[in-house]
Amino acid sequence: MSNKSHFHGSDLEKIESIYKINKYDIINFSGNVNPLGVSRNLIDLLSKNVHVIGMYPDREYTRLRKQLEKYIGVNYENIIVGNGSTELISIFINIIKPTKALIVGPTYSEYEREISIGGGFSNYYSLKEELDFKIDIKDLLSNITDDMDLLVICNPNNPTSTSIYSEDIKCILEYCHEKNIYVMVDETYIEFTKEMDKITSVGLTYSYDNLFITRGVSKFYASPGLRLGYGICGNKSIMEKINSLKNPWTINSLASFAGEVMFEDEGYIKLTKDFIEQERNRIYTELNSWKDIKVFPPTANFILIKILRDDIDSHELFETLIKKKIMIRDASTFPFLNSQFFRFCFMNKEQNDLILDELSRIFN
């Protein structure tokens, strides 16, 4: 492992090994995790109910799925839970076995990896920088060909922090339905958006049997260690196949219990949404006034930035900041991005002030 390596937000052990920094001292602006941390209410309830690990979880996870029904507003029979959204993405792709997929990028690399493992091939549709990485629906549709069998969309998208409204997703679904193309929408960051009701595609699962949506609790609920994800789909055949392939009890009893209570923690949900909205606006407004960078308008809990100078790149910026125990995401490894791009997520106010101050020393 050399210092030229690129790090994911979960690579704290690698950072610790290479840079000799205690991982607990690193401020992780790369993880995209809710800065409020795990809900205090959830911690208290888990500590009082730790005895549930002495029992097998319900094989059908009925209580958990019914709680999700109340949370997202669809019938629990259209909801499936898994060991993180990654498990569900993997099983879904394994079921439909796409031979040729189109991925809207730059985005998360796991989609291409899963398609490749299944023997499929992936093309990318490139979001345009000149449009601030917002999608051009007509142009996207013109790139969808008859030989494709899967379209993958991350909404809001990582790393661009752009979103697609459900009205546009509906147009995409209609077009793809006519061509027998499945559409997988990853809504990992949906709860962070200001206009969630206008962006989520959940309601469209009733009308389109070619739609599969994935979500999880790692980011918004600051619980990546729980490994709890869920999928939403109105296609009964697909859901039956997923259930037949999915191993039983992939969610442990404690994670299942956590899911049953976290989705009704309205105080935590509102506090998170309000804080992220406030910090998103504050940070974007500040950075947008600097001349040496270009800032792309964010809709999620992170922001993508382009360096407009030739004397520093994203790798050098990472090196400079990690020595100060600040970890950003060098975005040069994402498709269509280069060493001019970096990303960071919004942490608590004091930490956000710190990264703004450090970036100001370099760019302002």
Side-chain angles (χ1 to χ4, degrees), residues 139-322:
D139 190 52
L140 169 65
L141 297 183
S142 71
N143 281 269
I144 296 175
T145 56
D146 292 339
D147 59 341
M148 292 176 178
D149 34 30
L150 175 64
L151 173 65
V152 181
I153 299 171
C154 184
N155 192 34
N157 187 46
N158 175 24
T160 61
S161 201
T162 49
S163 293
I164 307 172
Y165 285 114
S166 59
E167 290 181 359
D168 291 326
I169 294 288
K170 184 177 180 180
C171 294
I172 294 169
L173 285 167
E174 192 72 39
Y175 188 83
C176 288
H177 194 272
E178 293 175 0
K179 296 179 177 292
N180 295 315
I181 297 172
Y182 285 102
V183 179
M184 184 175 72
V185 179
D186 184 346
E187 292 192 348
T188 294
Y189 299 100
I190 193 74
E191 287 104 332
F192 289 110
T193 62
K194 181 180 180 181
E195 299 181 294
M196 178 177 169
D197 291 342
K198 294 181 180 179
I199 296 169
T200 181
S201 301
V202 165
L204 297 173
T205 56
Y206 284 112
S207 305
Y208 296 93
D209 62 3
N210 60 328
L211 172 61
F212 185 74
I213 299 171
T214 63
R215 289 188 184 179
V217 304
S218 295
K219 306 303 184 180
F220 187 82
Y221 290 95
S223 304
L226 280 180
R227 306 313 307 142
L228 174 58
Y230 58 100
I232 309 106
C233 183
N235 187 318
K236 299 300 182 184
S237 175
I238 290 291
M239 295 296 269
E240 288 172 2
K241 289 176 182 177
I242 293 176
N243 274 313
S244 69
L245 285 179
K246 196 167 87 62
N247 291 323
W249 305 305
T250 57
I251 302 171
N252 66 65
S253 298
L254 208 58
S256 179
F257 175 81
E260 291 168 22
V261 298
M262 63 171 36
F263 297 115
E264 58 183 7
D265 194 343
E266 295 180 3
Y268 176 84
I269 293 169
K270 184 179 188 308
L271 190 63
T272 297
K273 285 179 174 288
D274 290 347
F275 177 77
I276 292 297
E277 174 68 8
Q278 175 185 319
E279 288 300 280
R280 179 167 55 220
N281 290 339
R282 180 176 78 93
I283 292 169
Y284 173 72
T285 300
E286 172 64 25
L287 293 177
N288 200 39
S289 68
W290 298 3
K291 63 180 177 63
D292 285 347
I293 58 173
K294 179 179 179 180
V295 187
F296 300 93
T299 66
N301 62 320
F302 51 87
I303 192 165
L304 181 68
I305 300 168
K306 181 179 183 182
I307 300 169
L308 300 180
R309 280 173 26 196
D310 296 329
D311 60 335
I312 187 170
D313 63 20
S314 56
H315 174 71
E316 292 166 334
L317 180 63
F318 178 92
E319 291 287 317
T320 298
L321 294 177
I322 197 62

Side-chain angles (χ1 to χ4, degrees), residues 96-121:
I96 66 169
K97 292 184 171 25
T99 56
K100 186 176 181 181
L102 183 65
I103 303 173
V104 177
T107 197
Y108 184 48
S109 62
E110 194 65 22
Y111 311 131
E112 181 181 359
R113 176 181 173 275
E114 290 292 344
I115 292 164
S116 177
I117 288 173
F121 176 78

Side-chain angles (χ1 to χ4, degrees), residues 37-49:
V38 180
S39 162
R40 172 51 57 184
N41 180 53
L42 178 60
I43 292 173
D44 291 343
L45 286 170
L46 286 176
S47 66
K48 293 174 183 176
N49 290 274

Side-chain angles (χ1 to χ4, degrees), residues 49-58 249 251-254:
N49 290 274
V50 70
H51 61 274
V52 300
I53 65 173
M55 300 174 284
Y56 277 101
D58 168 22
W249 305 305
I251 302 171
N252 66 65
S253 298
L254 208 58

